[in-house]
Amino acid sequence: MKSTFNAQIPNTFAVSAKATQYVEYDSVSDLRQLIPALQGKRVLHIGGGSNLLFTTDFDGIVLHSRIQGIEQVETSAGSVLVRVGAGIRWDDFVAEALRRGWYGAENLSLIPGEVGASAVQNIGAYGIEAKDLIERVECIDLCTGEQRTFTNAECHYAYRSSVFKHELRGRYAVTHVLYRLSCTFEPHLDYGNLRTHLQGEVTADEVRNCIIKIRREKLPDPDVMGNAGSFFVNPVVDRAKFEMLQQTFPTMPFYEVQNGIKIPAGWLIEQCGWKGRKLGPAAVHDRQALVLVNLGGATGADILRLSDAVCADVKQKLDIDIHPEVNIF
């Protein structure tokens, strides 16, 4: 376990923000030892800092898990149940799963962040979400130190949402996530433009490599240009609103979902002329309008100001509300 006072908080936006105390722990036992010191304090648990925007310093304790381990718990009916430490980098887990012949997570390749965050954020890409794979989530209550295991249903998963982001925000720290993966590879290629890149029979490795290539071509590397990946949630509109928009934009991309029609936020932003546009030291990325970037020296307030301007313009010109996916502090 490592504790540092007045420490810079790791974040992929590369904005300067310090925590009163930054603590990294290596085990459930370490985390439980911290519980008494957390009481009465403002506490924030982070993963790799890839879905955060700090607009100011954090007056409190920031926790980060370094819990490791990938354990096969059971095998049954052509599937495996895998228990994974929350501190493992998500993409490292995806690569290791494929190496061991466990399938289902390959469409989520190269998503930044860590395993614990996948269960909180319900990460998703190319037609697959973490909720499709998660069976249980093991947590520690940050008030009592007691362990609780949430079933998939108890996590209340929805699009980029979970009980950990809303009803129980800040109450629990994820220590392990249990994923149900398949022993047989079945490609999921119907989302986005995967089928234009992959023809005929494909392997899981080919799907993973294709997705990595696509993501690298359209998304900036946070080690080179600060960003948090997709900044906005794709809005879902009712059919009446969709049909009205479609009259003006007949080639508008869309996806049918359970509660309406999902329209790519990046497309909406691009229609409003924001793609590649700068506002001070922050900008909308010139290849993917869903991404906001730090051009160098931007503060969290600079990026938030850009976000607010983009949201206001989409509302004014297209009468659609879009909202940030990232957590803003």
Side-chain angles (χ1 to χ4, degrees):
M1 185 160 54
K2 180 181 178 182
S3 176
T4 308
F5 290 91
N6 195 32
Q8 173 69 30
I9 306 170
N11 66 93
T12 60
F13 255 123
V15 300
S16 179
K18 292 185 177 181
T20 304
Q21 185 178 5
Y22 179 72
V23 182
E24 292 187 310
Y25 60 90
D26 301 287
S27 66
V28 173
S29 176
D30 282 349
L31 178 57
R32 281 201 168 111
Q33 289 179 38
L34 291 169
I35 300 298
L38 303 180
Q39 306 315 304
K41 305 285 180 61
R42 190 182 180 204
V43 178
L44 173 64
H45 198 295
I46 69 172
S50 61
N51 202 47
L52 303 169
L53 176 63
F54 290 97
T55 60
T56 184
D57 291 338
F58 187 82
D59 183 17
I61 301 172
V62 174
L63 301 176
H64 176 236
S65 172
R66 296 192 301 202
I67 295 176
Q68 302 293 298
I70 299 176
E71 172 190 4
Q72 182 175 337
V73 177
E74 65 178 44
T75 304
S76 61
S79 70
V80 294
L81 185 63
V82 185
R83 182 173 182 260
V84 188
I88 291 178
R89 287 180 66 249
W90 170 257
D91 195 56
D92 289 347
F93 166 59
V94 175
E96 180 63 15
L98 291 188
R99 191 187 70 80
R100 299 193 192 189
W102 304 333
Y103 306 108
E106 51 278 351
N107 283 37
L108 305 180
S109 292
L110 210 64
I111 291 179
E114 297 173 353
V115 162
S118 77
V120 174
Q121 182 71 9
N122 185 25
I123 60 173
Y126 295 100
I128 300 294
E129 292 181 309
K131 71 174 179 60
D132 302 326
L133 309 174
I134 292 172
E135 188 159 302
R136 300 194 296 274
V137 181
E138 295 179 4
C139 300
I140 293 294
D141 188 320
L142 294 178
C143 294
T144 67
E146 294 179 354
Q147 180 170 329
R148 176 175 173 183
T149 299
F150 290 80
T151 65
N152 182 293
E154 290 173 327
C155 292
H156 297 174
Y157 282 125
Y159 175 57
R160 301 297 179 271
S161 179
S162 75
V163 70
F164 308 114
K165 284 190 69 175
H166 299 290
E167 302 98 306
L168 297 178
R169 184 184 179 102
R171 177 68 182 270
Y172 290 91
V174 175
T175 61
H176 296 84
V177 184
L178 286 89
Y179 302 96
R180 177 70 65 177
L181 301 176
S182 177
C183 297
T184 305
F185 172 60
E186 296 182 8
H188 297 275
L189 307 177
D190 293 331
Y191 194 95
N193 56 354
L194 287 182
R195 286 199 181 277
T196 64
H197 295 271
L198 296 165
Q199 304 294 330
E201 292 189 11
V202 296
T203 66
D205 285 329
E206 286 172 337
V207 171
R208 171 171 164 76
N209 292 336
C210 176
I211 288 173
I212 288 173
K213 183 175 183 293
I214 292 172
R215 290 182 69 91
R216 284 179 171 161
E217 286 175 350
K218 72 177 184 178
L219 298 174
D221 183 345
D223 290 334
V224 177
M225 180 180 292
N227 73 91
S230 298
F231 192 91
F232 300 98
V233 176
N234 293 321
V236 176
V237 301
D238 61 29
R239 185 161 292 278
K241 178 66 178 177
F242 164 73
E243 290 177 350
M244 184 177 68
L245 277 171
Q246 198 175 40
Q247 290 179 6
T248 305
F249 304 101
T251 61
M252 175 178 62
F254 66 92
Y255 304 94
E256 299 266 2
V257 293
Q258 187 173 7
N259 57 335
I261 312 293
K262 183 189 296 184
I263 301 174
W267 181 87
L268 295 168
I269 294 166
E270 189 170 350
Q271 303 316 300
C272 294
W274 276 98
K275 189 175 184 179
R277 187 170 159 189
K278 302 175 184 178
L279 191 61
V284 177
H285 194 243
D286 59 3
R287 294 199 304 273
Q288 172 52 271
L290 196 59
V291 178
L292 303 188
V293 296
N294 180 352
L295 297 175
T299 65
D302 290 329
I303 294 163
L304 182 59
R305 185 164 54 252
L306 173 62
S307 168
D308 289 345
V310 169
C311 291
D313 222 17
V314 172
K315 177 64 174 177
Q316 179 184 1
K317 294 179 179 178
L318 300 173
D319 194 27
I320 292 181
D321 292 304
I322 61 171
H323 303 282
E325 177 180 329
V326 302
N327 298 299
I328 299 171
F329 295 91

